[in-house]
Amino acid sequence: MSFLKKLFGGSGGQPSAAGEPSVADSRDYAGFTIKATPMPEGAQFRLAALIEKEIGGETRSHRMIRADLFSSKDEAAQFAFRKAEQMIDEQGEAIFQS
């Protein structure tokens, strides 16, 4: 059970008041907003981000979680931006259809 709590933020994470993961940093890229949300996992951080874009007056979002682990929160955030930018370049708005 503790594995599932760690994986889904049941322990060690610091979610915001609304239950969303805490945002380490954010930036705009090609009309999208990328919010790096590294997930604590033991002494490491899992690569995670929230990709958002307003389409037709509605904010659409895609939660990206990767298996990659990093020793620091900042390093995980920087790689989250790179991976999110790659996904945006490859998929564009289709990222919200899955």
Side-chain angles (χ1 to χ4, degrees), residues 1-11:
M1 181 71 171
S2 66
F3 169 75
L4 293 175
K5 284 183 180 180
K6 286 181 183 177
L7 183 62
F8 295 108
S11 67

Side-chain angles (χ1 to χ4, degrees), residues 9-47:
S11 67
Q14 299 296 324
S16 68
E20 291 295 316
S22 62
V23 176
D25 197 6
S26 67
R27 68 172 64 152
D28 293 328
Y29 178 79
F32 292 77
T33 300
I34 304 169
K35 297 178 181 178
T37 57
M39 299 169 56
E41 188 160 317
Q44 298 180 312
F45 292 87
R46 182 167 305 281
L47 187 153

Side-chain angles (χ1 to χ4, degrees), residues 40-89:
E41 188 160 317
Q44 298 180 312
F45 292 87
R46 182 167 305 281
L47 187 153
L50 185 63
I51 302 169
E52 297 180 327
K53 183 173 185 177
E54 187 171 320
I55 301 171
E58 177 185 348
T59 300
R60 306 287 308 267
S61 64
H62 174 77
R63 181 87 172 114
M64 177 187 76
I65 301 173
R66 308 287 297 177
D68 308 273
L69 294 173
F70 297 91
S71 60
S72 76
K73 186 175 185 177
D74 289 339
E75 187 179 20
Q78 291 307 310
F79 278 90
F81 287 127
R82 289 184 195 167
K83 184 54 75 173
E85 289 170 1
Q86 180 183 8
M87 289 182 71
I88 291 167
D89 289 342

